[in-house]
Amino acid sequence: MIQLAPLLIVVLLAAAAAARTSAARRGAPALGVLSGLGVLATAAWSPRGEVWTLSWAPELGLEFAWTVDALTAPLLGLVGIVLVGVVVWTAAWERSGASARLLSALVTFTAAMVGLLTAANLLTLFLFWELTTLSSYALIGFDGSSERARDAARSSLLVTGLGGLALLAAAVLIDGTSASNLSTLVASADATDPRVVAGVWLLLVAAATKSAQVPFHGWLTGATTAPTAASALLHAATLVVAGAYLILRIAPLGARVPGWTVAAVATGVVTYAWGHWGSRHADDAKQLLAGTTAAQVGLAFALAALATPKSTVAALALLLVHGLYKAGLFLVVGTVAKRTGSQRVADVAAGTAGLPTLRLALWLGAAAMAGLPPTAGWVAKEAGVAALASDRLEWLTVTLTVAGTALAVAVAARLVAGRGAPTIGRHVPAMGTAVPLLAGGATLLLGPGSALLERVAEAGAAAGRTAAFTADAAAVHLVVWPGFVEALGISVLALALGLAAAGRDRRTNPSPRDLAAPVLLARGIDRFGARAGQLATSIAAQGRRTIVGLVVAAAVASLWPYAVAASRWPDDLVLVRGAPQLLAATVVVAGVIGLLRARERFIGAIMLGMVGFAMGGLFVVVGAPDLLLTQVAVEVVIVLVFAGVLRRLPEREATPRDSLTEPATVLRLVVAVAAGLLTADLALSLADSDSARPVAAAITTNAVPEGGGTNAVNVVLTDFRAIDTVGELMVIFLSAAGGVGLARARRRQTSPRRVAHGRPSRSTTTTVRRGWFRPPSKRRVEAPPPRTGARR
Amino acid sequence: MTPPRPVPTPALLEHAAGPIASIGVLIGLHLLAVGHDAPGGGFVAGLVVGASVALHRLAGAPSARRDAPLAKARVPLATGALFVAATVLAPVVSGDVVASTGTHTIDLGLIGTFKITSALVFDIGVLLIVVGLVLAMLQVAVGSDDA
């Protein structure tokens, strides 16, 4: 029977696609709400623990698997509730249909998140982990015209992408031990196996990047460039939760690896303090909220890693409660920003003037964030602090927890007590205040009504754990008044410190710089994640030559040791087999020399074509008709493309002729020669290396019976190695899609409509900076003249 | 980027472009059909068809350019992706291994027999995606209007 979870993912993706079509744009909000309800239904009615698998390459033991258990279900429910909330909130502000693109992106992200939460093995987890990275990239960089948004999106992509690579490496390492199923892995993996140990550490890195834990937290503050609705979904209830969720899953295994628990708990509590500290000086309200998100998820992260029954229950409760109130707070800030045009921290409180419901929502959210009774924020935080305190507790953990909790109070106070005076502009629709109030109200009611929270969190914490653990977890109580316990003392101390800090902040009104992370090293770590995108941008700005140079240099450097080790030329090396081969090879070399010496682009194109067709001649000589056909066809297409490009370019290259006195030229020459030598060496060595068990015979004998074709090359491409072909097709598809995107963007840029609005002429002279692989040059950049709308 | 220099198309080429492109498409389809048993296959076929369409658009008569079939890269790209996805996932639905091959031979009477394999459907997808790639490159290179 088909399970609900994978079906839901397909349906969500279809809904996301449908929302973009012109027919459904007006119905996009309805599609969004239905998607959220679908997630809720899946959470509610999926049979627990049933695994649905999709076989991919059974010979290799690779399959995709999904399941919904008691841990997944509440988190799915949170995703569904928040999605419905943000969709309703977004739709309230926009003209019908205007927000279709945003809603579509939100639903796409939700599909990825559902896949991540329901993944039952590491391969599936990795796939959807990367999909959440990609779809959140699209959401963070949603405003593509803002350079800040683009940088932030790249930063998040690079940092969480790094975590994705760690996850992939972990999956490969652990798969080698044939325990890729998450529950089997956690229950029975051999924690003395070095592969498992390395894998579990890598999983910690992956979780830390996704949950924006120190030192990877930098991307999250930048990520607030996303539309508010996206922030509410991503940075409260879903994306950052993924890391803590992964820790919840694997903590029992981590506990068997020496040092892992300590490292994970330390990461979490350090972030708990650090994130709140950063929020204390944030000027932008959304950045303030993002900092507290990293911090609160950090506390859950630490609790999850501790993996005692008490801490696990508290971790899940904290994640659920935090998702609710933080989504509400993001929407409060979003409403204020739409109303006043300002999202400065100081303006938030004044921005709620005249709207008692909105002000109430702000106060409830802030109270939950500060962990004040009787909100659910208090209940979850108390349980967390109690769990940390009851474990053999290092003084450092206590100190950091007190600091984090105190700072949370100070940050919440900043939010409700800002003294700005923004101008109130736009009318606020009813849902602009109702949705945040519902979120705040829910966190308030869940405090006294914490029995519900307790039941859900206990069931979730027990998922996949031992019977003893389950019994202990069932004994944990989430209550507003736990009695006079150690945790209460810690909370009171933290509250007092926090109020003191808030009072001091209010008197001195510190500027961001006063409070910026105090130590130089700390400042560097803060920037580490935030600036990753700018680094990538600056590399990209170096130009084609530099990028190609860097890529080739990196390839040479990484392959060189292997090439040296494997270098083994065949003993019976024949330099030339007959005159035709010599002729073809001579033409290739002549073409390359001609290409290097050509001053005019047209001549260069002809030389390149000469090389290509001569290569075709070589294929004739060795009797490879398939390769010949492909080579010639590719050359023809290249000629056509060149014919198009050359018409748009100056006849000669603008850059001065390369001279060997220029260091950049010498560097390029060295890299090029090294790459050539390496390739030749590899070709010679590899041609002779697999003679022990040639695969060719197996392919030719099996082509007809198994592949049903006599052309072995085609059978390999379409059957034996069809999955590889699909991978190659993806590359082709993506580059073609990129091309289409470029062409469309250019058309938009030069569309007559824009020009009619009096854009200045875009003819400018820019000095192109000296690059690592490129001499400096001045070049005149001219925009194409405005199209008149008529076709050529 | 400078605007394209107006280059007059030779009249002979302009008139020949249409027939050459048609023949090219036919050759491409032949390569596709025989690909499983003889040199050819979806990739080469896609390049040949793509080059033919490109030639038609670059050199054909202005009226022909406007009505050129498959002019938008999006169409073949998306259709090809659907074909590929369908062939890869179809065996899963029937409970088989992903991307395994099935064969069916039909008798076309005088022309001979024609063998339909799931590999052919897969290759059609490959062809369409490659055609899409060629058209997309052309759009970027030439700056043609339809994306």
Side-chain angles (χ1 to χ4, degrees):
Chain A
M1 187 201 125
I2 282 205
Q3 249 221 353
L4 285 175
L7 186 68
L8 174 71
I9 296 167
V10 175
V11 170
L12 286 182
L13 288 175
R20 289 297 298 276
T21 63
S22 50
R25 287 180 80 84
R26 295 171 70 88
L31 279 172
V33 170
L34 286 176
S35 302
L37 294 178
V39 178
L40 278 173
T42 308
W45 290 309
S46 276
R48 300 286 187 263
E50 210 170 274
V51 181
W52 192 79
T53 56
L54 174 63
S55 204
W56 177 26
E59 297 88 349
L60 300 174
L62 295 180
E63 59 179 23
F64 297 103
W66 292 268
T67 183
V68 174
D69 65 10
L71 172 57
T72 308
L75 290 171
L76 274 181
L78 178 68
V79 174
I81 290 172
V82 174
L83 180 64
V84 170
V86 297
V87 168
V88 170
W89 185 86
T90 307
W93 289 99
E94 306 283 347
R95 274 183 301 110
S96 67
S99 55
R101 186 176 147 232
L102 174 62
L103 296 178
S104 167
L106 287 173
V107 174
T108 309
F109 173 83
T110 306
M113 193 66 202
V114 168
L116 191 158
L117 287 173
T118 53
N121 64 24
L122 284 175
L123 182 67
T124 319
L125 184 73
F126 168 73
L127 177 71
F128 286 97
W129 189 275
E130 292 294 62
L131 284 179
T132 59
T133 300
L134 283 178
S135 45
S136 65
Y137 169 77
L139 281 168
I140 294 167
F142 190 78
D143 178 11
S145 62
S146 148
E147 188 172 351
R148 238 184 86 225
R150 292 200 304 270
D151 272 341
R154 281 196 204 100
S155 295
S156 84
L157 183 70
L158 288 172
V159 176
T160 55
L162 181 77
L165 288 180
L167 183 60
L168 177 63
V172 170
L173 281 169
I174 293 175
D175 248 347
T177 64
S178 70
S180 67
N181 190 307
L182 268 176
S183 52
T184 332
L185 167 75
V186 170
S188 61
D190 175 14
T192 56
D193 188 330
R195 284 175 299 178
V196 172
V197 173
V200 173
W201 279 102
L202 285 168
L203 289 177
L204 175 60
V205 173
T209 57
K210 204 66 154 184
S211 282
Q213 300 298 295
V214 174
F216 304 111
H217 60 291
W219 68 265
L220 187 63
T221 26
T224 49
T225 54
T228 305
S231 295
L233 183 66
L234 265 63
H235 309 321
T238 50
L239 186 66
V240 283
V241 170
Y245 162 77
L246 180 59
I247 296 294
L248 270 175
R249 280 267 178 235
I250 62 164
L253 174 60
R256 301 204 293 273
V257 173
W260 188 91
T261 303
V262 174
V265 171
T267 306
V269 290
V270 165
T271 310
Y272 185 52
W274 194 312
H276 281 135
W277 178 270
S279 289
R280 195 177 162 209
H281 67 254
D283 189 41
D284 179 300
K286 279 174 74 182
Q287 291 190 357
L288 175 141
L289 291 178
T292 60
T293 298
Q296 296 285 344
V297 173
L299 183 59
F301 197 90
L303 288 166
L306 200 57
T308 62
K310 213 183 233 177
S311 75
T312 311
V313 172
L316 185 54
L318 192 64
L319 283 180
L320 294 174
V321 173
H322 168 261
L324 265 184
Y325 77 71
K326 190 56 66 66
L329 278 178
F330 267 115
L331 293 183
V332 168
V333 171
T335 299
V336 168
K338 284 195 188 282
R339 194 181 182 211
T340 67
S342 160
Q343 56 182 43
R344 292 182 59 234
V345 175
D347 294 341
V348 171
T352 62
L355 291 175
T357 43
L358 190 63
R359 175 155 293 181
L360 184 60
L362 172 66
W363 283 15
L364 287 174
M369 189 162 91
L372 296 182
T375 63
W378 157 267
V379 174
K381 184 204 71 187
E382 275 312 278
V385 172
L388 279 173
S390 66
D391 198 67
R392 49 178 184 80
L393 193 62
E394 315 295 335
W395 61 269
L396 191 62
T397 317
V398 179
T399 315
L400 285 169
T401 310
V402 171
T405 313
L407 286 167
V409 175
V411 170
R414 280 195 67 203
L415 205 54
V416 296
R419 282 185 285 191
T423 45
I424 309 270
R426 195 167 167 186
H427 171 72
V428 177
M431 284 303 154
T433 59
V435 174
L437 183 64
L438 278 175
T443 38
L444 178 66
L445 292 178
L446 270 180
S450 57
L452 175 68
L453 188 63
E454 182 184 306
R455 218 172 49 232
V456 169
E458 281 172 0
R465 307 290 172 105
T466 60
F469 186 99
T470 309
D472 282 349
V476 179
H477 289 301
L478 297 176
V479 286
V480 176
W481 178 246
F484 291 97
V485 293
E486 208 177 352
L488 189 66
I490 293 179
S491 290
V492 171
L493 173 66
L495 185 63
L497 285 173
L499 288 175
R504 187 170 171 278
D505 283 357
R506 198 172 161 75
R507 273 195 315 280
T508 58
N509 200 13
S511 79
R513 197 163 297 161
D514 296 342
L515 282 170
V519 192
L520 195 62
L521 170 72
R523 226 173 283 176
I525 293 176
D526 267 345
R527 284 179 191 164
F528 164 69
R531 298 288 165 86
Q534 286 176 22
L535 181 68
T537 313
S538 72
I539 290 177
Q542 290 276 321
R544 267 190 330 277
R545 281 184 163 184
T546 304
I547 293 175
V548 172
L550 280 175
V551 169
V552 174
V556 170
S558 54
L559 280 177
W560 196 265
Y562 170 73
V564 170
S567 187
R568 190 170 56 86
W569 292 10
D571 305 326
D572 52 344
L573 184 63
V574 182
L575 273 181
V576 178
R577 281 182 219 273
Q581 198 184 32
L582 184 65
L583 181 67
T586 314
V587 176
V588 168
V589 173
V592 170
I593 293 174
L595 180 62
L596 288 175
R597 299 197 59 81
R599 299 290 320 268
E600 282 161 9
R601 293 174 196 273
F602 177 60
I603 305 291
I606 290 180
M607 291 298 154
L608 201 58
M610 202 164 104
V611 173
F613 282 108
M615 286 297 296
L618 276 177
F619 292 140
V620 175
V621 174
V622 296
D626 274 283
L627 286 181
L628 170 69
L629 259 177
T630 312
Q631 180 75 31
V632 171
V634 166
E635 288 305 325
V636 170
V637 170
I638 288 179
V639 167
L640 283 168
V641 171
F642 268 126
V645 175
L646 289 180
R647 283 173 63 200
R648 303 189 133 248
L649 293 176
E651 284 178 16
R652 292 169 175 240
E653 293 219 27
T655 45
R657 200 180 168 78
D658 293 339
S659 100
L660 280 177
T661 53
E662 190 70 48
T665 311
V666 177
L667 189 56
R668 278 212 310 279
L669 192 66
V670 170
V671 171
V673 170
L677 288 176
L678 182 80
T679 313
D681 177 62
L682 279 177
L684 282 170
S685 311
L686 293 178
D688 205 33
S689 68
D690 62 356
S691 52
R693 40 186 189 86
V695 72
I699 287 177
T700 41
T701 47
N702 285 334
V704 175
E706 282 190 20
T710 49
N711 178 1
V713 176
N714 190 262
V715 170
V716 169
L717 284 175
T718 58
D719 187 350
F720 293 170
R721 306 297 293 270
I723 298 287
D724 292 1
T725 310
V726 171
E728 286 153 14
L729 283 175
M730 272 180 202
V731 175
I732 294 180
F733 183 86
L734 287 178
S735 29
V740 171
L742 265 181
R744 283 163 68 91
R746 196 168 58 200
R747 191 165 43 132
R748 267 202 301 277
Q749 221 173 30
T750 59
S751 75
R753 201 159 31 105
R754 289 275 185 95
V755 177
H757 279 96
R759 264 168 85 122
S761 163
R762 291 188 296 117
S763 165
T764 47
T765 304
T766 53
T767 307
V768 180
R769 277 187 306 133
R770 171 194 289 267
W772 295 331
F773 286 85
R774 185 186 60 196
S777 66
K778 271 205 172 177
R779 134 179 350 161
R780 196 167 165 73
V781 182
E782 270 186 52
R787 292 260 168 78
T788 52
R791 291 181 196 233
R792 284 191 314 280
Chain B
M1 213 183 246
T2 54
R5 284 186 293 281
V7 183
T9 311
L12 182 64
L13 180 57
E14 192 171 308
H15 284 98
I20 292 178
S22 311
I23 295 171
V25 171
L26 282 179
I27 293 177
L29 293 181
H30 171 76
L31 287 174
L32 172 78
V34 302
H36 212 45
D37 294 315
F43 189 79
V44 181
L47 286 174
V48 173
V49 172
S52 306
V53 178
L55 178 73
H56 195 238
R57 279 184 66 77
L58 280 178
S63 63
R65 283 180 223 169
R66 252 201 306 284
D67 307 328
L70 295 177
K72 297 187 177 186
R74 279 183 292 172
V75 180
L77 270 179
T79 327
L82 282 181
F83 268 93
V84 170
T87 25
V88 171
L89 294 181
V92 177
V93 176
S94 63
D96 208 338
V97 178
V98 170
S100 50
T101 303
T103 311
H104 182 68
T105 307
I106 49 173
D107 192 0
L108 291 179
L110 288 177
I111 309 174
T113 59
F114 186 69
K115 193 172 67 181
I116 296 182
T117 57
S118 61
L120 179 67
V121 185
F122 184 77
D123 254 357
I124 293 175
V126 176
L127 177 137
L128 288 170
I129 290 182
V130 173
V131 170
L133 174 73
V134 174
L135 290 179
M137 283 200 298
L138 209 66
Q139 278 161 8
V140 175
V142 187
S144 76
D145 292 354
D146 305 294

